[in-house]
Amino acid sequence: MSELKINDFVIRFANVNGTGSASANALFTKAIFKMGVPATPKNIFPSNIQGLPTWYEVRISEKGYLGRREGIDFIVSVNPQSMARDVKSVRKGGYFLYDSTKPLYPDLIRDDINYIGIPLMQLSNENYTDPRQRQLFKNIIYVGALAALFEIEFEVLESLLAVQFKGKEKLIEPNIKALKLGVDYVRENFEYPLELRVERRDLIGDRIMMDGNSACALGAIYGGATVAAWYPITPSTSVVDAFTKYAQKLRACSEGGKWNVAIVQAEDELAAIGMVIGANWNGARSFTATSGPGLSLMNEFLGLAYFAEIPCVLIDVQRTGPSTGMPTRTQQSDILEAAYAAHGDTKHVLLFPAGPRECFEMTAAAFDLAERLQTPVIVMTDLDLGMNEHITMPLKWDDNRRYDRGKVMSREQLETATARWGRYLDVDGDGIPYRTIPATHPTKGGFVTRGSSRDEYAAYTEDSAAYQRNMERLLKKFETAETLVPEPEITIVEGGSKIGAIYFGTSRYAAEEAAEMLAAEGVKLDTICVKAFPFGKSFRDFVDSHEKIFVIEQNRDAQFKSLMTIELGTDPGKLVSVLNYDGMPITADFIYKEIKSGQ
């Protein structure tokens, strides 16, 4: 590779799942980050526990591009199962690093890429005796080799190991030894550094690296959640795992150190959402986390919460479907299922975070929205956001912020009320009635919660007029939600454009990069990053003011586009779908090509 690329390349690690490669690969990414250079990792792992191929891809971008890019500049391939596929993925002129303890098969040789053979297993066997350590340190040896090839500062790696093994200091020395084995082998056998290099910069500022599931968990903590009920499912399990960890620190009582939260692993997803609804009905802020199959099972109870008007929060970490699909691959394929979860006429509030900070903020806000609107609110993340680390601004919380519990009748209000109180009576014209929390008052405020038709005073009825009034009020409440959900981010190019692009969630970073690529070629594109459903006035105005709109989403059936045509009556002829559904995060290259050919 003749072109010098400084802080601008993609490297992929090809490993065997369950061999301890994850920590070594993360060490590499953190070193780049500590040198002040943006790095975005993507963990591409199988659904089994051990034995199948796994990949870990890192994009290093001095320009700060955080989305995936097509093409691999350098691959570390130490898995014989995937080697044929790995060698094909390398860009012309790129590099292929492999374990040369055994010779490379002739059919894996390309004459347009560069090969770096390092006897990783041999070096590990010669320097370590424990079989498990030999496998683990083989991974650290190739990190050391990369440090020499890319000129990564060795001191940074040493400092990261010191942090990683704090309290287990005896492990630091053998890890540093493994790094030096890789460094020394490169220096003795290859010309270095390569044309691909890492140079220290100051491009990170005070940003941090964090995964979306942990950010959602913190959002639930700060949003006031005291009950979490869930059934484990990839890729959402770590939301409640992280909530448990943070609760131990942030939700311990001053006396006795006991937690003041309840965390329940239910027997299935239906039971989990039932517990959440029951806890919220009793006045607790409660949530669950799941993925597509779990959301399907929760539909019946979500309909109950919508119709009985019980607030609750659900975090949907989307994965590929249908059915089991590819449970460890990412998609945005639950849009329609979530928006209309339950039978009958139902509409749910959806929030679309694009990064960890928005995961934190929107999860916390979801509890306020759910109680303000007395309805389920679903936070729509995905596997890419939930389980991968992303560069993000630090999470911030205003300690003066107070929870918005909505229209809750206090004991004093119930005591002094002169008019007859109706649990499902709209007295303010916004579609939202007043509610009570059990035991607020010893004799007043009681009502029967029903999943069947009732009148404004919670009395059972099959009167058609009463049912219709109730359904129209629920629709009015959804219209009120338009004014409460987060506004979209709109970018209008100078002079404006007749062409627009819509994107949401993790499509954001690739879409923004693609817009820059198009602008460099004179293609002007207005963009809007959607943050929530229902759609508000600014979204409708954007759609109405453009002749052609590209709708970027990560599913096969253009679900977001369908949502637009259903809710807004948008002419489908002006909407052009840009669809990625291979389970991998969408790339800027793909979006660029689709818009360029379809403009």
Side-chain angles (χ1 to χ4, degrees), residues 485-519:
V485 297
E487 286 285 327
E489 290 185 19
I490 300 174
T491 302
I492 305 297
V493 297
E494 185 177 353
S497 174
K498 296 180 180 180
I499 303 174
I502 294 172
Y503 48 85
F504 58 95
T506 51
S507 300
R508 173 177 187 164
Y509 304 104
E512 290 176 345
E513 182 179 355
E516 288 188 25
M517 295 165 67
L518 290 163

PDB file of all heavy atoms in Angstrom, residues 485-519:
ATOM      1  N   VAL A 485     -42.892  14.818  23.027  1.00  0.00           N
ATOM      2  CA  VAL A 485     -41.743  13.975  22.661  1.00  0.00           C
ATOM      3  C   VAL A 485     -40.603  14.840  22.111  1.00  0.00           C
ATOM      4  O   VAL A 485     -40.820  15.983  21.696  1.00  0.00           O
ATOM      5  CB  VAL A 485     -42.156  12.909  21.626  1.00  0.00           C
ATOM      6  CG1 VAL A 485     -43.201  11.968  22.216  1.00  0.00           C
ATOM      7  CG2 VAL A 485     -42.654  13.546  20.340  1.00  0.00           C
ATOM      8  N   PRO A 486     -39.370  14.316  22.098  1.00  0.00           N
ATOM      9  CA  PRO A 486     -38.230  15.091  21.598  1.00  0.00           C
ATOM     10  C   PRO A 486     -38.403  15.517  20.139  1.00  0.00           C
ATOM     11  O   PRO A 486     -38.904  14.753  19.315  1.00  0.00           O
ATOM     12  CB  PRO A 486     -37.053  14.115  21.743  1.00  0.00           C
ATOM     13  CG  PRO A 486     -37.480  13.139  22.788  1.00  0.00           C
ATOM     14  CD  PRO A 486     -38.962  13.004  22.642  1.00  0.00           C
ATOM     15  N   GLU A 487     -37.982  16.740  19.854  1.00  0.00           N
ATOM     16  CA  GLU A 487     -38.053  17.277  18.494  1.00  0.00           C
ATOM     17  C   GLU A 487     -36.962  16.654  17.616  1.00  0.00           C
ATOM     18  O   GLU A 487     -35.878  16.328  18.092  1.00  0.00           O
ATOM     19  CB  GLU A 487     -37.871  18.790  18.516  1.00  0.00           C
ATOM     20  CG  GLU A 487     -39.068  19.553  19.045  1.00  0.00           C
ATOM     21  CD  GLU A 487     -40.203  19.600  18.034  1.00  0.00           C
ATOM     22  OE1 GLU A 487     -39.945  19.639  16.814  1.00  0.00           O
ATOM     23  OE2 GLU A 487     -41.363  19.578  18.468  1.00  0.00           O
ATOM     24  N   PRO A 488     -37.209  16.522  16.312  1.00  0.00           N
ATOM     25  CA  PRO A 488     -36.167  16.023  15.406  1.00  0.00           C
ATOM     26  C   PRO A 488     -35.085  17.075  15.191  1.00  0.00           C
ATOM     27  O   PRO A 488     -35.311  18.270  15.430  1.00  0.00           O
ATOM     28  CB  PRO A 488     -36.927  15.744  14.113  1.00  0.00           C
ATOM     29  CG  PRO A 488     -38.097  16.683  14.159  1.00  0.00           C
ATOM     30  CD  PRO A 488     -38.478  16.790  15.611  1.00  0.00           C
ATOM     31  N   GLU A 489     -33.920  16.629  14.748  1.00  0.00           N
ATOM     32  CA  GLU A 489     -32.832  17.542  14.376  1.00  0.00           C
ATOM     33  C   GLU A 489     -32.856  17.710  12.860  1.00  0.00           C
ATOM     34  O   GLU A 489     -32.715  16.740  12.121  1.00  0.00           O
ATOM     35  CB  GLU A 489     -31.482  16.996  14.836  1.00  0.00           C
ATOM     36  CG  GLU A 489     -31.295  17.027  16.339  1.00  0.00           C
ATOM     37  CD  GLU A 489     -29.897  16.580  16.750  1.00  0.00           C
ATOM     38  OE1 GLU A 489     -28.982  16.607  15.877  1.00  0.00           O
ATOM     39  OE2 GLU A 489     -29.723  16.191  17.904  1.00  0.00           O
ATOM     40  N   ILE A 490     -33.020  18.945  12.424  1.00  0.00           N
ATOM     41  CA  ILE A 490     -33.160  19.237  10.994  1.00  0.00           C
ATOM     42  C   ILE A 490     -31.951  20.035  10.523  1.00  0.00           C
ATOM     43  O   ILE A 490     -31.544  21.008  11.165  1.00  0.00           O
ATOM     44  CB  ILE A 490     -34.456  20.023  10.716  1.00  0.00           C
ATOM     45  CG1 ILE A 490     -35.674  19.191  11.164  1.00  0.00           C
ATOM     46  CG2 ILE A 490     -34.564  20.389   9.243  1.00  0.00           C
ATOM     47  CD1 ILE A 490     -36.996  19.943  11.070  1.00  0.00           C
ATOM     48  N   THR A 491     -31.380  19.631   9.392  1.00  0.00           N
ATOM     49  CA  THR A 491     -30.266  20.351   8.773  1.00  0.00           C
ATOM     50  C   THR A 491     -30.675  20.752   7.365  1.00  0.00           C
ATOM     51  O   THR A 491     -30.957  19.886   6.519  1.00  0.00           O
ATOM     52  CB  THR A 491     -28.992  19.482   8.718  1.00  0.00           C
ATOM     53  OG1 THR A 491     -28.646  19.080  10.046  1.00  0.00           O
ATOM     54  CG2 THR A 491     -27.838  20.256   8.110  1.00  0.00           C
ATOM     55  N   ILE A 492     -30.712  22.053   7.116  1.00  0.00           N
ATOM     56  CA  ILE A 492     -31.053  22.581   5.795  1.00  0.00           C
ATOM     57  C   ILE A 492     -29.784  23.150   5.166  1.00  0.00           C
ATOM     58  O   ILE A 492     -29.130  24.016   5.755  1.00  0.00           O
ATOM     59  CB  ILE A 492     -32.135  23.678   5.884  1.00  0.00           C
ATOM     60  CG1 ILE A 492     -33.384  23.158   6.616  1.00  0.00           C
ATOM     61  CG2 ILE A 492     -32.492  24.185   4.494  1.00  0.00           C
ATOM     62  CD1 ILE A 492     -34.081  22.022   5.922  1.00  0.00           C
ATOM     63  N   VAL A 493     -29.423  22.655   3.992  1.00  0.00           N
ATOM     64  CA  VAL A 493     -28.223  23.148   3.320  1.00  0.00           C
ATOM     65  C   VAL A 493     -28.460  24.582   2.853  1.00  0.00           C
ATOM     66  O   VAL A 493     -29.600  25.048   2.766  1.00  0.00           O
ATOM     67  CB  VAL A 493     -27.847  22.248   2.125  1.00  0.00           C
ATOM     68  CG1 VAL A 493     -27.493  20.841   2.606  1.00  0.00           C
ATOM     69  CG2 VAL A 493     -28.966  22.198   1.096  1.00  0.00           C
ATOM     70  N   GLU A 494     -27.377  25.273   2.566  1.00  0.00           N
ATOM     71  CA  GLU A 494     -27.483  26.660   2.126  1.00  0.00           C
ATOM     72  C   GLU A 494     -28.348  26.742   0.876  1.00  0.00           C
ATOM     73  O   GLU A 494     -28.102  26.068  -0.121  1.00  0.00           O
ATOM     74  CB  GLU A 494     -26.089  27.231   1.839  1.00  0.00           C
ATOM     75  CG  GLU A 494     -26.114  28.709   1.501  1.00  0.00           C
ATOM     76  CD  GLU A 494     -24.725  29.277   1.287  1.00  0.00           C
ATOM     77  OE1 GLU A 494     -23.740  28.540   1.527  1.00  0.00           O
ATOM     78  OE2 GLU A 494     -24.622  30.440   0.867  1.00  0.00           O
ATOM     79  N   GLY A 495     -29.365  27.585   0.952  1.00  0.00           N
ATOM     80  CA  GLY A 495     -30.285  27.722  -0.169  1.00  0.00           C
ATOM     81  C   GLY A 495     -31.382  26.683  -0.189  1.00  0.00           C
ATOM     82  O   GLY A 495     -32.322  26.775  -0.977  1.00  0.00           O
ATOM     83  N   GLY A 496     -31.260  25.675   0.666  1.00  0.00           N
ATOM     84  CA  GLY A 496     -32.266  24.614   0.720  1.00  0.00           C
ATOM     85  C   GLY A 496     -32.170  23.670  -0.455  1.00  0.00           C
ATOM     86  O   GLY A 496     -31.466  23.915  -1.441  1.00  0.00           O
ATOM     87  N   SER A 497     -32.860  22.576  -0.346  1.00  0.00           N
ATOM     88  CA  SER A 497     -32.853  21.564  -1.403  1.00  0.00           C
ATOM     89  C   SER A 497     -34.256  20.999  -1.564  1.00  0.00           C
ATOM     90  O   SER A 497     -35.053  20.985  -0.621  1.00  0.00           O
ATOM     91  CB  SER A 497     -31.872  20.435  -1.061  1.00  0.00           C
ATOM     92  OG  SER A 497     -31.951  19.388  -2.006  1.00  0.00           O
ATOM     93  N   LYS A 498     -34.545  20.517  -2.760  1.00  0.00           N
ATOM     94  CA  LYS A 498     -35.811  19.850  -3.002  1.00  0.00           C
ATOM     95  C   LYS A 498     -35.752  18.379  -2.598  1.00  0.00           C
ATOM     96  O   LYS A 498     -36.784  17.710  -2.572  1.00  0.00           O
ATOM     97  CB  LYS A 498     -36.198  19.967  -4.476  1.00  0.00           C
ATOM     98  CG  LYS A 498     -36.458  21.402  -4.941  1.00  0.00           C
ATOM     99  CD  LYS A 498     -36.827  21.444  -6.410  1.00  0.00           C
ATOM    100  CE  LYS A 498     -37.093  22.886  -6.860  1.00  0.00           C
ATOM    101  NZ  LYS A 498     -37.449  22.936  -8.310  1.00  0.00           N
ATOM    102  N   ILE A 499     -34.525  17.919  -2.292  1.00  0.00           N
ATOM    103  CA  ILE A 499     -34.325  16.521  -1.902  1.00  0.00           C
ATOM    104  C   ILE A 499     -34.010  16.463  -0.412  1.00  0.00           C
ATOM    105  O   ILE A 499     -33.210  17.238   0.109  1.00  0.00           O
ATOM    106  CB  ILE A 499     -33.159  15.886  -2.696  1.00  0.00           C
ATOM    107  CG1 ILE A 499     -33.411  16.003  -4.196  1.00  0.00           C
ATOM    108  CG2 ILE A 499     -32.970  14.426  -2.313  1.00  0.00           C
ATOM    109  CD1 ILE A 499     -32.248  15.522  -5.042  1.00  0.00           C
ATOM    110  N   GLY A 500     -34.643  15.551   0.269  1.00  0.00           N
ATOM    111  CA  GLY A 500     -34.403  15.379   1.696  1.00  0.00           C
ATOM    112  C   GLY A 500     -34.052  13.943   2.026  1.00  0.00           C
ATOM    113  O   GLY A 500     -34.233  13.028   1.219  1.00  0.00           O
ATOM    114  N   ALA A 501     -33.541  13.744   3.229  1.00  0.00           N
ATOM    115  CA  ALA A 501     -33.241  12.399   3.718  1.00  0.00           C
ATOM    116  C   ALA A 501     -33.695  12.298   5.169  1.00  0.00           C
ATOM    117  O   ALA A 501     -33.460  13.210   5.970  1.00  0.00           O
ATOM    118  CB  ALA A 501     -31.751  12.087   3.590  1.00  0.00           C
ATOM    119  N   ILE A 502     -34.342  11.188   5.490  1.00  0.00           N
ATOM    120  CA  ILE A 502     -34.819  10.917   6.844  1.00  0.00           C
ATOM    121  C   ILE A 502     -34.039   9.732   7.396  1.00  0.00           C
ATOM    122  O   ILE A 502     -33.852   8.725   6.707  1.00  0.00           O
ATOM    123  CB  ILE A 502     -36.325  10.597   6.834  1.00  0.00           C
ATOM    124  CG1 ILE A 502     -37.129  11.830   6.411  1.00  0.00           C
ATOM    125  CG2 ILE A 502     -36.793  10.090   8.199  1.00  0.00           C
ATOM    126  CD1 ILE A 502     -38.605  11.531   6.184  1.00  0.00           C
ATOM    127  N   TYR A 503     -33.594   9.851   8.627  1.00  0.00           N
ATOM    128  CA  TYR A 503     -32.924   8.718   9.277  1.00  0.00           C
ATOM    129  C   TYR A 503     -33.191   8.798  10.772  1.00  0.00           C
ATOM    130  O   TYR A 503     -33.667   9.806  11.296  1.00  0.00           O
ATOM    131  CB  TYR A 503     -31.421   8.697   8.980  1.00  0.00           C
ATOM    132  CG  TYR A 503     -30.711  10.019   9.183  1.00  0.00           C
ATOM    133  CD1 TYR A 503     -30.249  10.401  10.436  1.00  0.00           C
ATOM    134  CD2 TYR A 503     -30.505  10.892   8.106  1.00  0.00           C
ATOM    135  CE1 TYR A 503     -29.605  11.607  10.619  1.00  0.00           C
ATOM    136  CE2 TYR A 503     -29.862  12.107   8.279  1.00  0.00           C
ATOM    137  CZ  TYR A 503     -29.414  12.457   9.537  1.00  0.00           C
ATOM    138  OH  TYR A 503     -28.775  13.661   9.727  1.00  0.00           O
ATOM    139  N   PHE A 504     -32.859   7.727  11.480  1.00  0.00           N
ATOM    140  CA  PHE A 504     -33.118   7.672  12.918  1.00  0.00           C
ATOM    141  C   PHE A 504     -32.203   6.626  13.534  1.00  0.00           C
ATOM    142  O   PHE A 504     -31.668   5.738  12.861  1.00  0.00           O
ATOM    143  CB  PHE A 504     -34.583   7.331  13.194  1.00  0.00           C
ATOM    144  CG  PHE A 504     -35.036   6.029  12.584  1.00  0.00           C
ATOM    145  CD1 PHE A 504     -35.027   4.858  13.330  1.00  0.00           C
ATOM    146  CD2 PHE A 504     -35.461   5.973  11.259  1.00  0.00           C
ATOM    147  CE1 PHE A 504     -35.432   3.660  12.770  1.00  0.00           C
ATOM    148  CE2 PHE A 504     -35.870   4.770  10.692  1.00  0.00           C
ATOM    149  CZ  PHE A 504     -35.853   3.612  11.453  1.00  0.00           C
ATOM    150  N   GLY A 505     -32.013   6.722  14.839  1.00  0.00           N
ATOM    151  CA  GLY A 505     -31.217   5.728  15.555  1.00  0.00           C
ATOM    152  C   GLY A 505     -29.805   5.623  15.035  1.00  0.00           C
ATOM    153  O   GLY A 505     -29.177   6.620  14.644  1.00  0.00           O
ATOM    154  N   THR A 506     -29.285   4.396  14.991  1.00  0.00           N
ATOM    155  CA  THR A 506     -27.872   4.198  14.645  1.00  0.00           C
ATOM    156  C   THR A 506     -27.569   4.417  13.171  1.00  0.00           C
ATOM    157  O   THR A 506     -26.399   4.369  12.785  1.00  0.00           O
ATOM    158  CB  THR A 506     -27.420   2.775  15.033  1.00  0.00           C
ATOM    159  OG1 THR A 506     -28.338   1.822  14.486  1.00  0.00           O
ATOM    160  CG2 THR A 506     -27.347   2.616  16.541  1.00  0.00           C
ATOM    161  N   SER A 507     -28.580   4.683  12.358  1.00  0.00           N
ATOM    162  CA  SER A 507     -28.313   5.052  10.958  1.00  0.00           C
ATOM    163  C   SER A 507     -27.733   6.459  10.865  1.00  0.00           C
ATOM    164  O   SER A 507     -27.217   6.849   9.809  1.00  0.00           O
ATOM    165  CB  SER A 507     -29.597   4.970  10.125  1.00  0.00           C
ATOM    166  OG  SER A 507     -30.133   3.665  10.132  1.00  0.00           O
ATOM    167  N   ARG A 508     -27.816   7.190  11.951  1.00  0.00           N
ATOM    168  CA  ARG A 508     -27.464   8.614  11.918  1.00  0.00           C
ATOM    169  C   ARG A 508     -26.037   8.864  11.433  1.00  0.00           C
ATOM    170  O   ARG A 508     -25.810   9.697  10.544  1.00  0.00           O
ATOM    171  CB  ARG A 508     -27.645   9.214  13.312  1.00  0.00           C
ATOM    172  CG  ARG A 508     -27.138  10.641  13.406  1.00  0.00           C
ATOM    173  CD  ARG A 508     -27.380  11.267  14.744  1.00  0.00           C
ATOM    174  NE  ARG A 508     -27.029  12.692  14.734  1.00  0.00           N
ATOM    175  CZ  ARG A 508     -27.408  13.552  15.638  1.00  0.00           C
ATOM    176  NH1 ARG A 508     -28.164  13.171  16.654  1.00  0.00           N
ATOM    177  NH2 ARG A 508     -27.067  14.819  15.555  1.00  0.00           N
ATOM    178  N   TYR A 509     -25.060   8.160  11.991  1.00  0.00           N
ATOM    179  CA  TYR A 509     -23.662   8.501  11.731  1.00  0.00           C
ATOM    180  C   TYR A 509     -23.265   8.183  10.298  1.00  0.00           C
ATOM    181  O   TYR A 509     -22.569   8.971   9.645  1.00  0.00           O
ATOM    182  CB  TYR A 509     -22.779   7.791  12.745  1.00  0.00           C
ATOM    183  CG  TYR A 509     -23.195   8.127  14.154  1.00  0.00           C
ATOM    184  CD1 TYR A 509     -23.905   7.227  14.942  1.00  0.00           C
ATOM    185  CD2 TYR A 509     -22.952   9.401  14.667  1.00  0.00           C
ATOM    186  CE1 TYR A 509     -24.335   7.561  16.210  1.00  0.00           C
ATOM    187  CE2 TYR A 509     -23.380   9.750  15.938  1.00  0.00           C
ATOM    188  CZ  TYR A 509     -24.075   8.829  16.704  1.00  0.00           C
ATOM    189  OH  TYR A 509     -24.513   9.173  17.958  1.00  0.00           O
ATOM    190  N   ALA A 510     -23.731   7.065   9.776  1.00  0.00           N
ATOM    191  CA  ALA A 510     -23.462   6.739   8.381  1.00  0.00           C
ATOM    192  C   ALA A 510     -24.192   7.697   7.451  1.00  0.00           C
ATOM    193  O   ALA A 510     -23.659   8.113   6.414  1.00  0.00           O
ATOM    194  CB  ALA A 510     -23.868   5.300   8.095  1.00  0.00           C
ATOM    195  N   ALA A 511     -25.416   8.078   7.816  1.00  0.00           N
ATOM    196  CA  ALA A 511     -26.193   8.992   6.981  1.00  0.00           C
ATOM    197  C   ALA A 511     -25.543  10.371   6.914  1.00  0.00           C
ATOM    198  O   ALA A 511     -25.483  10.998   5.839  1.00  0.00           O
ATOM    199  CB  ALA A 511     -27.616   9.102   7.517  1.00  0.00           C
ATOM    200  N   GLU A 512     -25.045  10.855   8.042  1.00  0.00           N
ATOM    201  CA  GLU A 512     -24.407  12.172   8.048  1.00  0.00           C
ATOM    202  C   GLU A 512     -23.118  12.158   7.235  1.00  0.00           C
ATOM    203  O   GLU A 512     -22.813  13.127   6.522  1.00  0.00           O
ATOM    204  CB  GLU A 512     -24.131  12.595   9.488  1.00  0.00           C
ATOM    205  CG  GLU A 512     -25.399  12.932  10.261  1.00  0.00           C
ATOM    206  CD  GLU A 512     -25.142  13.269  11.716  1.00  0.00           C
ATOM    207  OE1 GLU A 512     -24.043  12.971  12.217  1.00  0.00           O
ATOM    208  OE2 GLU A 512     -26.056  13.835  12.348  1.00  0.00           O
ATOM    209  N   GLU A 513     -22.358  11.073   7.323  1.00  0.00           N
ATOM    210  CA  GLU A 513     -21.142  10.975   6.510  1.00  0.00           C
ATOM    211  C   GLU A 513     -21.492  10.899   5.028  1.00  0.00           C
ATOM    212  O   GLU A 513     -20.832  11.524   4.190  1.00  0.00           O
ATOM    213  CB  GLU A 513     -20.333   9.755   6.927  1.00  0.00           C
ATOM    214  CG  GLU A 513     -19.025   9.619   6.167  1.00  0.00           C
ATOM    215  CD  GLU A 513     -18.203   8.407   6.594  1.00  0.00           C
ATOM    216  OE1 GLU A 513     -18.597   7.716   7.550  1.00  0.00           O
ATOM    217  OE2 GLU A 513     -17.163   8.157   5.954  1.00  0.00           O
ATOM    218  N   ALA A 514     -22.528  10.134   4.680  1.00  0.00           N
ATOM    219  CA  ALA A 514     -22.950  10.025   3.289  1.00  0.00           C
ATOM    220  C   ALA A 514     -23.382  11.381   2.739  1.00  0.00           C
ATOM    221  O   ALA A 514     -23.096  11.710   1.572  1.00  0.00           O
ATOM    222  CB  ALA A 514     -24.096   9.022   3.167  1.00  0.00           C
ATOM    223  N   ALA A 515     -24.049  12.180   3.575  1.00  0.00           N
ATOM    224  CA  ALA A 515     -24.461  13.521   3.145  1.00  0.00           C
ATOM    225  C   ALA A 515     -23.243  14.383   2.822  1.00  0.00           C
ATOM    226  O   ALA A 515     -23.259  15.165   1.858  1.00  0.00           O
ATOM    227  CB  ALA A 515     -25.310  14.177   4.230  1.00  0.00           C
ATOM    228  N   GLU A 516     -22.176  14.237   3.605  1.00  0.00           N
ATOM    229  CA  GLU A 516     -20.937  14.968   3.318  1.00  0.00           C
ATOM    230  C   GLU A 516     -20.321  14.485   2.012  1.00  0.00           C
ATOM    231  O   GLU A 516     -19.812  15.295   1.220  1.00  0.00           O
ATOM    232  CB  GLU A 516     -19.944  14.794   4.471  1.00  0.00           C
ATOM    233  CG  GLU A 516     -20.317  15.538   5.737  1.00  0.00           C
ATOM    234  CD  GLU A 516     -19.203  15.493   6.773  1.00  0.00           C
ATOM    235  OE1 GLU A 516     -18.033  15.333   6.377  1.00  0.00           O
ATOM    236  OE2 GLU A 516     -19.508  15.594   7.973  1.00  0.00           O
ATOM    237  N   MET A 517     -20.327  13.182   1.786  1.00  0.00           N
ATOM    238  CA  MET A 517     -19.784  12.628   0.545  1.00  0.00           C
ATOM    239  C   MET A 517     -20.551  13.150  -0.656  1.00  0.00           C
ATOM    240  O   MET A 517     -19.969  13.506  -1.692  1.00  0.00           O
ATOM    241  CB  MET A 517     -19.836  11.096   0.596  1.00  0.00           C
ATOM    242  CG  MET A 517     -18.953  10.475   1.668  1.00  0.00           C
ATOM    243  SD  MET A 517     -19.350   8.726   1.989  1.00  0.00           S
ATOM    244  CE  MET A 517     -18.864   7.961   0.435  1.00  0.00           C
ATOM    245  N   LEU A 518     -21.868  13.230  -0.535  1.00  0.00           N
ATOM    246  CA  LEU A 518     -22.692  13.733  -1.633  1.00  0.00           C
ATOM    247  C   LEU A 518     -22.474  15.221  -1.852  1.00  0.00           C
ATOM    248  O   LEU A 518     -22.405  15.695  -2.991  1.00  0.00           O
ATOM    249  CB  LEU A 518     -24.161  13.448  -1.329  1.00  0.00           C
ATOM    250  CG  LEU A 518     -24.579  11.976  -1.388  1.00  0.00           C
ATOM    251  CD1 LEU A 518     -25.904  11.764  -0.670  1.00  0.00           C
ATOM    252  CD2 LEU A 518     -24.687  11.514  -2.840  1.00  0.00           C
ATOM    253  N   ALA A 519     -22.351  15.973  -0.748  1.00  0.00           N
ATOM    254  CA  ALA A 519     -22.123  17.416  -0.862  1.00  0.00           C
ATOM    255  C   ALA A 519     -20.819  17.718  -1.588  1.00  0.00           C
ATOM    256  O   ALA A 519     -20.726  18.699  -2.334  1.00  0.00           O
ATOM    257  CB  ALA A 519     -22.117  18.052   0.524  1.00  0.00           C
TER     258      ALA A 519
END
